[in-house]
Amino acid sequence: MNLQSIKQRFGIIGNSPTLNHALQIAVQVAPTDLSVLIEGASGVGKESFSKIIHNLSSRKHQKFIAINCGALPESTLYSELFGHTKNAFTGATTERKGYFETVNGGTIFLDEIGEMPAKLQQFLLRVLEQGEFVKMGSNKVEKTDVRVIAATNVKLLENVQQGKFREDLYYRLNTVPIKVPPLKDRSEDIHILFRKFAADFAERYKTTPVRLDERAQLLLENYSWPGNIRELKNIALQVSALSDSKTITADELLQFIPKALDRNLPAVSNQFGGGFDNAAGSGFYEREILFKFLYEMKKDLADLKTLIAEIAHTNNLQMPNGTTASSLTPVPSFQAQTKASFNNSDYEEENYEEHNSKHTPIVINSERPVSNKYSDVEEIEESLSIEDMEQELIKKALAKHRGKRKEAAKELGISERTLYRKIRQYEIEA
């Protein structure tokens, strides 16, 4: 059975290599009785993988049940898994069979296994190794034949190292590990999933499915999706139900995902001296200011190249000796719009080079030398010291906010205390 038929049968959407690899492992391990540990963030579809394994196994005609170990207290969880006798505890008026007894011959999926109480872990280990359990309130050892598939959204090995999870149980469950990728690592699948959810909504409510324009697709694919597939499905349903237009723009999509343009830059950990407003942590803020300055300079240079390219293209300018000027090729209008909307320099450069490869070079006339224009720009860029860059950016921020230091500090991503120190250091008039 190939992966495509598996996807169609179980409703799996996507073609990313990491997803295909996880599915391949699930298909290969399904015919065995080995324990499987499915790892992945919340909302990536770990339960779907457990159902695939069960339905492709020899136990497919037996029962399958999913239990969330983090949603039940210890006493209740023990009773759910192993059952209890009459009068085993207050309110136990009758004997109750646990899932390891009722699902005998089938499969039990234990979600959030990392949340299982320590006392219960030893009983689960006994079931896995010997197929034995004891009901609450009983001394009778009973037998069961159940395949266990576990899942976790935390790094279980770290819990083992911290003493929060039994090491022997970890290795017993982790016979075959399957890592389900988060949605942010499946960017090629995001738009396909959105269209599927939108089409399902339209079919259910007899409407026309919404679609995204190019910029909205780009926005969707570059969002981090902390809630993974669950979050994407919620957004697709919200857009389908609340949008007045059937063609969604990036600006309209931002109303539903206001944090889509947020970018989380690397930060220095406090344990290495990167704390706020201390002497050791001041370097972090200086690097932040420098990064912002360099980023703005890069955008300014890109705008300058675009302007010169448009002038050269409009006036049909030529360059001596057949020197190519591919770097002066005008940037496509869609790319310029995307840059203004998303500030995504990597996307800009990638499309910029692709665009250049499809056009013949512009040759500039020898009577109009322009090489000095570029050398001047390079000299300016190289002559700026780190302190000059930092000082210039602080001045810009203060000017932008009319001398209001609190707003300027927020713009720079530093505290007011650090800003005051920098103003005194550089003798900036504010």
Side-chain angles (χ1 to χ4, degrees):
M1 187 177 293
N2 58 44
L3 289 184
Q4 193 58 41
S5 62
I6 295 293
K7 292 176 184 178
Q8 292 176 354
R9 177 179 172 184
F10 294 98
I12 304 296
I13 307 295
N15 292 301
S16 70
T18 51
L19 175 66
N20 289 340
H21 179 66
L23 281 173
Q24 187 64 50
I25 295 176
V27 172
Q28 289 178 314
V29 76
T32 72
D33 272 337
L34 297 176
S35 299
V36 178
L37 179 62
I38 305 174
E39 298 177 292
S42 178
V44 297
K46 296 188 290 295
E47 186 170 346
S48 297
F49 276 77
S50 69
K51 291 179 179 179
I52 290 174
I53 294 172
H54 172 72
N55 284 282
L56 295 181
S57 72
S58 59
R59 300 172 182 264
K60 60 184 177 182
H61 298 299
Q62 303 298 324
K63 292 182 179 180
F64 171 90
I65 190 166
I67 303 170
N68 189 324
C69 298
L72 298 172
E74 181 177 348
S75 58
T76 305
L77 183 58
Y78 188 100
S79 177
E80 291 288 321
L81 293 177
F82 306 114
H84 63 257
T85 61
K86 184 178 180 180
N87 299 323
F89 53 86
T90 303
T93 57
T94 60
E95 181 177 344
R96 183 187 184 280
K97 293 182 179 181
Y99 292 126
F100 276 98
E101 184 175 359
T102 59
V103 187
N104 189 16
T107 304
I108 291 182
F109 173 59
L110 299 177
D111 198 6
E112 295 188 27
I113 191 68
E115 302 297 324
M116 176 173 281
K119 291 181 179 180
L120 275 180
Q121 293 175 23
Q122 59 180 324
F123 298 113
L124 177 60
L125 180 63
R126 184 177 181 182
V127 172
L128 291 172
E129 292 187 337
Q130 303 174 20
E132 298 178 348
F133 68 95
V134 177
K135 291 182 180 179
M136 182 182 292
S138 172
N139 294 322
K140 181 182 177 182
V141 176
E142 302 192 36
K143 289 284 188 177
T144 186
D145 175 24
V146 172
R147 183 181 192 175
V148 173
I149 301 174
T152 178
N153 59 5
V154 298
K155 294 182 179 179
L156 207 55
L157 187 56
E158 291 184 1
N159 285 9
V160 171
Q161 295 169 349
Q162 297 170 6
K164 298 178 181 178
F165 199 84
R166 291 179 65 104
E167 184 176 13
D168 48 6
L169 178 57
Y170 168 75
Y171 288 111
R172 187 62 181 80
L173 289 170
N174 197 35
T175 305
V176 178
I178 296 178
K179 298 184 184 297
V180 184
L183 194 56
K184 66 179 181 180
D185 293 342
R186 298 171 50 195
S187 58
E188 61 266 52
D189 296 339
I190 293 175
H191 186 223
I192 300 174
L193 285 163
F194 180 90
R195 289 170 55 190
K196 174 63 167 61
F197 297 142
D200 289 345
F201 178 91
E203 182 179 358
R204 180 176 180 181
Y205 295 101
K206 305 297 186 293
T207 63
T208 304
V210 297
R211 59 177 296 272
L212 304 176
D213 68 12
E214 291 180 310
R215 292 172 60 203
Q217 290 181 35
L218 183 64
L219 179 67
L220 202 72
E221 292 169 359
N222 283 276
Y223 178 49
S224 60
W225 296 107
N228 290 291
I229 296 176
R230 288 197 191 105
E231 183 181 7
L232 176 60
K233 184 175 183 179
N234 286 344
I235 293 298
L237 296 180
Q238 288 180 38
V239 172
S240 299
L242 303 179
S243 178
D244 296 328
S245 172
K246 292 302 179 181
T247 300
I248 310 301
T249 66
D251 291 336
E252 292 172 329
L253 191 59
L254 279 173
Q255 298 176 12
F256 299 94
I257 321 176
K259 295 183 179 181
L261 294 182
D262 291 354
R263 292 293 179 266
N264 296 321
L265 300 177
V268 179
S269 173
N270 288 340
Q271 62 177 323
F272 298 112
F276 298 97
D277 294 325
N278 57 28
S282 61
F284 165 68
Y285 292 117
E286 292 170 358
R287 286 191 295 273
E288 278 285 292
I289 294 175
L290 175 60
F291 177 85
K292 289 175 181 289
F293 185 86
L294 291 175
Y295 186 69
E296 288 190 2
M297 175 179 285
K298 182 176 182 179
K299 291 194 296 180
D300 292 341
L301 288 174
D303 291 340
L304 179 61
K305 287 181 180 180
T306 303
L307 178 61
I308 295 175
E310 290 176 350
I311 294 174
H313 182 70
T314 303
N315 295 279
N316 196 24
L317 301 179
Q318 294 183 340
M319 183 178 290
N321 302 324
T323 304
T324 60
S326 60
S327 61
L328 300 181
T329 306
V331 179
S333 59
F334 169 70
Q335 179 187 334
Q337 294 173 2
T338 305
K339 171 192 165 188
S341 299
F342 306 114
N343 295 331
N344 191 330
S345 60
D346 291 337
Y347 177 83
E348 174 186 314
E349 291 173 359
E350 179 181 346
N351 286 271
Y352 188 71
E353 293 174 0
E354 180 180 351
H355 179 81
N356 289 339
S357 65
K358 299 179 182 178
H359 293 76
T360 56
I362 299 173
V363 181
I364 299 181
N365 195 333
S366 60
E367 297 178 359
R368 299 183 180 182
V370 294
S371 58
N372 290 337
K373 295 182 180 180
Y374 296 100
S375 61
D376 290 343
V377 173
E378 293 173 358
E379 289 175 4
I380 291 173
E381 184 178 5
E382 293 175 356
S383 65
L384 287 173
S385 67
I386 293 178
E387 291 186 353
D388 291 337
M389 296 176 184
E390 190 175 61
Q391 189 176 160
E392 180 66 20
L393 194 57
I394 292 174
K395 288 180 179 179
K396 284 185 177 181
L398 289 169
K400 177 180 178 180
H401 295 282
R402 300 179 181 178
K404 296 180 180 179
R405 298 180 179 181
K406 184 175 181 180
E407 285 77 6
K410 185 176 181 181
E411 172 79 14
L412 294 169
I414 62 177
S415 66
E416 289 185 67
R417 180 178 174 183
T418 301
L419 179 60
Y420 292 154
R421 180 169 58 82
K422 291 295 180 181
I423 291 175
R424 292 195 299 270
Q425 177 183 343
Y426 296 126
E427 298 180 352
I428 298 174
E429 294 183 3

